[in-house]
């Protein structure tokens, strides 16, 4: 399958997250200068998967990937760390090998010099602290039967890949196409943002996130007039998200928003990556 430059840009955007991006649901990422504030490690995400042998029936046990976030006394997030928890059964062995973060960081060994095969319950030490921005933690390894495994935990901050803004007498409206990874799943969303000016208002109608891949269009739309269209006189934002379709040949990924202005005119803004 031919992969265009656009597809490569989308993949890079989904795999790389800004160093100062806000971690969704976890506070605000700050620079290293705030690391001197009192901090605590708090639970963020834990994903556990049970595995069977090649016969699809015989249990080999369970593996968990766990991520914690480092939070200051003011609620800011300054880092993340991950570990793997092995629970083999029935004489099977599990050996973790490497891990990495979806922030452009390189692969690192779970155990310095390499881990041995584990046949009893075992928990790794915590990884080195990740401070380059949020992103999923991926750990991988092998089973004693020769098969391999990998697990993802946590999620990345939404990163803006395309933006379209317009300024009117009633204020500024922006639509952003944003991407992230949620565990191992790439996601995309449309973000509509309105900043009022001069006592004006807009009436949001809908937002959409979509794509056109090799001529096939798919999208997800959120109506903003349920139960009724609301006049927005204060700062306002809305989002709609979905799992990102796989990049293919000729493609476009976009976000759009439609709204009415006080003069009754309907406007649509669209932010897109095309190729």
């Amino acid at each position: 399958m031919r992969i265009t430059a656009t597809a490569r840009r989308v993949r890079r955007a989904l795999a790389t997250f800004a160093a100062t991006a806000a971690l969704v649901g976890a506070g605000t990422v700050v620079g290293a200068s705030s690391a001197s504030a009192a901090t605590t490690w708090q639970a963020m995400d834990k994903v556990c998967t049970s595995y069977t042998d090649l016969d699809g029936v015989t249990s080999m046990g369970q593996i968990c990937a766990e991520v914690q976030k480092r939070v200051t006394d003011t609620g800011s997030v300054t880092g993340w760390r991950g570990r793997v928890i092995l629970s083999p059964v029935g004489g099977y062995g599990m050996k973790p090998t490497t891990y990495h973060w979806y922030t452009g960081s390189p692969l690192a060994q779970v155990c310095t010099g390499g881990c041995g095969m584990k046949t009893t319950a075992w928990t790794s030490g915590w990884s080195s602290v990740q401070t380059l921005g949020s992103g999923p933690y991926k750990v991988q390894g092998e089973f004693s039967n020769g098969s391999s495994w990998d697990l993802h935990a946590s999620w990345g901050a939404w990163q803006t890949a395309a933006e379209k803004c317009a300024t009117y007498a009633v204020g500024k409206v922006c639509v952003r196409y944003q991407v992230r990874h949620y565990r191992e799943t790439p996601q995309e969303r449309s973000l509509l943002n309105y900043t009022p000016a001069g006592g004006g208002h807009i009436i949001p109608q809908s937002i959409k996130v979509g794509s056109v891949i090799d001529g096939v269009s798919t999208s997800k739309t959120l109506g903003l007039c349920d139960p009724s269209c609301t006049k927005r006189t204060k700062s306002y934002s809305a989002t709609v998200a979905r799992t990102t379709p796989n990049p293919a040949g000729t493609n476009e990924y976009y976000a759009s928003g439609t709204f009415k202005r006080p003069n009754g005119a309907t406007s649509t803004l669209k932010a897109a990556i095309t190729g």
Side-chain angles (χ1 to χ4, degrees):
M1 177 180 294
R2 182 170 62 91
I3 302 299
T4 66
T6 298
R8 288 192 292 272
R9 288 199 302 271
V10 171
R11 285 179 172 176
R12 287 197 299 270
L14 289 168
T16 306
F17 300 94
T20 58
L23 179 61
V24 176
T28 302
V29 179
V30 297
S33 61
S34 295
S36 58
T39 60
T40 59
W41 285 101
Q42 299 178 11
M44 181 175 178
D45 194 27
K46 186 175 182 180
V47 177
C48 296
T49 300
S50 296
Y51 295 88
T52 58
D53 204 343
L54 301 178
D55 60 10
V57 176
T58 306
S59 174
M60 295 192 294
Q62 178 180 262
I63 302 174
C64 298
E66 182 179 14
V67 171
Q68 291 184 335
K69 57 187 177 182
R70 186 173 62 187
V71 183
T72 70
D73 51 7
T74 60
S76 296
V77 178
T78 61
W80 302 263
R81 64 183 184 181
R83 68 178 180 180
V84 60
I85 302 168
L86 309 180
S87 302
V89 298
Y92 286 96
M94 301 172 171
K95 181 175 74 172
T97 54
T98 57
Y99 72 89
H100 77 278
W101 300 85
Y102 275 83
T103 52
S105 60
L107 287 173
Q109 291 185 321
V110 174
C111 304
T112 303
C115 300
M117 193 68 69
K118 311 298 181 182
T119 57
T120 58
W122 180 83
T123 300
S124 73
W126 291 104
S127 71
S128 57
V129 179
Q130 163 73 11
T131 59
L132 297 178
S134 60
Y137 163 78
K138 177 182 179 180
V139 61
Q140 51 200 3
E142 305 166 355
F143 292 107
S144 56
N145 68 355
S147 59
S148 60
W149 54 268
D150 64 75
L151 276 178
H152 303 70
S154 187
W155 51 91
W158 288 106
Q159 179 183 352
T160 298
E163 180 182 74
K164 182 69 173 180
C165 295
T167 300
Y168 307 95
V170 298
K172 184 177 182 180
V173 182
C174 290
V175 170
R176 298 180 178 94
Y177 172 74
Q178 299 183 321
V179 294
R180 73 170 184 178
H181 264 91
Y182 178 78
R183 296 174 177 169
E184 76 274 27
T185 303
Q187 295 180 329
E188 60 183 6
R189 78 174 183 180
S190 173
L191 169 65
L192 172 69
N193 186 77
Y194 169 57
T195 303
H201 72 270
I202 65 169
I203 303 175
Q205 303 292 296
S206 65
I207 52 174
K208 177 191 292 187
V209 60
S211 63
V212 182
I213 301 176
D214 284 342
V216 178
S217 299
T218 62
S219 63
K220 183 177 180 180
T221 301
L222 175 66
L224 302 177
C225 287
D226 184 15
S228 62
C229 297
T230 302
K231 181 187 297 184
R232 302 293 178 177
T233 59
K234 298 181 180 179
S235 295
Y236 171 81
S237 65
T239 62
V240 61
R242 68 171 186 169
T243 298
T244 306
N246 291 327
T250 303
N251 52 63
E252 177 187 57
Y253 297 85
Y254 67 88
S256 65
T258 300
F259 52 94
K260 285 187 175 182
R261 307 204 306 273
N263 62 5
T266 298
S267 299
T268 297
L269 294 179
K270 180 180 179 181
I273 298 175
T274 59

